[in-house]
Amino acid sequence: MSTNDITAARHELAAARRCVVLTGAGMSAESGVPTFRDALTGLWSAFDPERLASREGFAADPHLVWRWYAERRQGASNARPNAGHLALVGLEARFEQFAIVTQNVDGLHTRAGSRDVLELHGNIVRTKCFAECGVRIDDPRDLPPGEPPACPRCGHWLRPDVVWFGEMLDAEVLERAERLAASCDAMLVVGTSGLVYPAAGLPSLARAAGARVIIVNPNPTELDDLADIVVRDTAARALPALFAAT
Ligand code: OAD
């Protein structure tokens, strides 16, 4: 592993044909979207994450959980893609195969213009039925009144369409992410602590299949040991620099 080697990282990326970018909360930090734990500040600092991000927590107090997510949804929709998100859009055309696998629920990659984005943990803008009757509402402007609103089909609560603690990821999305990881020749891992599985397992899949793994993160992560190159910088600074013409 070598650190801060932007030139080496550029060369690895220039040689690659199939690239996967795995992103986490740090990707959106410079857009002003707090990471999960940072979001638990102020009014919310007294709450346990599992109380706000689990089925049990929602069942116990749907109003509280809805309010927390409504606040985060507002924050995500006010945020704008940063220079890192935009650099990734410009990158697509350089590879035969290119995909972004994100743990973020803020939708900023898609809003920046990236075309192939796999959202492993859902999307905070969408809402679905808590009782799983099949209703999904994509646009918050279509939500019925109420906090939380009632499902228009079965009358149960509606809940945010994100993955909560203890829930399974969408099997199709995860399977595709794993296939992409196992068949890429470069994986760029941006702004994730590498603590939460199965997302955190994707870099080792890529590595085992022979891909180069490049980490962009201003702080040490659990994944540093398996990286070929670590760039110790923020997403909005490092990504434009990584893809600037050499
Ligand atoms: P974390 O909050 O665990 O980690 C954020 C990472 O971003 C840390 O490694 C920071 O060093 C890094 N970071 C901070 N600012 C940065 C910047 N400007 N540029 C680049 N990196 C920066 O976030 P995730 O790893 O995404 O899951 O967390 C994974 C999952 O844990 C989340 O998706 C969420 C949470 O529980 C669910 O809700 C299912």
Side-chain angles (χ1 to χ4, degrees):
M1 181 188 89
S2 64
T3 298
N4 264 349
D5 202 344
I6 286 248
T7 312
R10 266 195 201 152
H11 286 141
E12 290 296 354
L13 288 164
R17 289 181 301 133
R18 294 178 302 276
C19 178
V20 172
V21 185
L22 172 66
T23 67
M27 181 77 226
S28 298
E30 286 150 292
S31 293
V33 179
T35 63
F36 187 76
R37 277 149 209 96
D38 286 343
L40 290 169
T41 53
L43 193 59
W44 304 106
S45 57
F47 295 97
D48 173 352
E50 310 229 349
R51 192 164 157 207
L52 297 167
S54 69
R55 278 192 75 81
E56 296 71 26
F58 185 83
D61 194 341
H63 302 277
L64 173 85
V65 174
W66 181 267
R67 276 203 308 278
W68 189 59
Y69 276 96
E71 197 178 293
R72 291 183 65 212
R73 186 173 61 220
Q74 195 56 51
S77 46
N78 291 341
R80 298 281 163 267
N82 64 51
H85 293 105
L86 297 173
L88 292 179
V89 182
L91 192 64
E92 282 178 2
R94 296 211 199 168
F95 295 94
E96 253 169 47
Q97 190 179 292
F98 180 85
I100 296 176
V101 178
T102 189
Q103 298 165 84
N104 300 343
V105 296
D106 55 36
L108 284 175
H109 285 299
T110 306
R111 279 169 52 203
S114 285
R115 280 177 304 179
D116 198 0
V117 182
L118 285 74
E119 292 179 318
L120 286 180
H121 294 166
N123 189 307
I124 202 166
V125 166
R126 292 192 311 255
T127 307
K128 66 181 182 182
C129 177
F130 183 67
E132 292 169 5
C133 79
V135 160
R136 194 181 94 171
I137 295 174
D138 290 344
D139 187 336
R141 288 171 300 189
D142 297 334
L143 284 175
E147 292 191 352
C151 173
R153 185 185 295 162
C154 75
H156 214 295
W157 301 122
L158 291 175
R159 58 161 278 185
D161 189 2
V162 297
V163 176
W164 278 336
F165 290 108
E167 291 188 315
M168 304 290 283
L169 273 59
D170 181 301
E172 262 177 49
V173 176
L174 177 60
E175 208 179 289
R176 187 160 172 251
E178 288 173 341
R179 259 187 285 125
L180 286 165
S183 65
C184 67
D185 35 43
M187 178 176 277
L188 194 55
V189 181
V190 187
T192 180
S193 54
L195 290 167
V196 175
Y197 284 79
L202 296 172
S204 7
L205 265 184
R207 180 72 203 232
R212 299 295 193 189
V213 175
I214 301 162
I215 288 182
V216 174
N217 199 308
N219 303 305
T221 79
E222 287 298 307
L223 302 169
D224 289 358
D225 284 347
L226 64 80
D228 294 284
I229 299 168
V230 176
V231 178
R232 279 273 174 263
D233 206 346
T234 69
R237 281 201 301 251
L239 295 179
L242 265 184
F243 305 117
T246 42

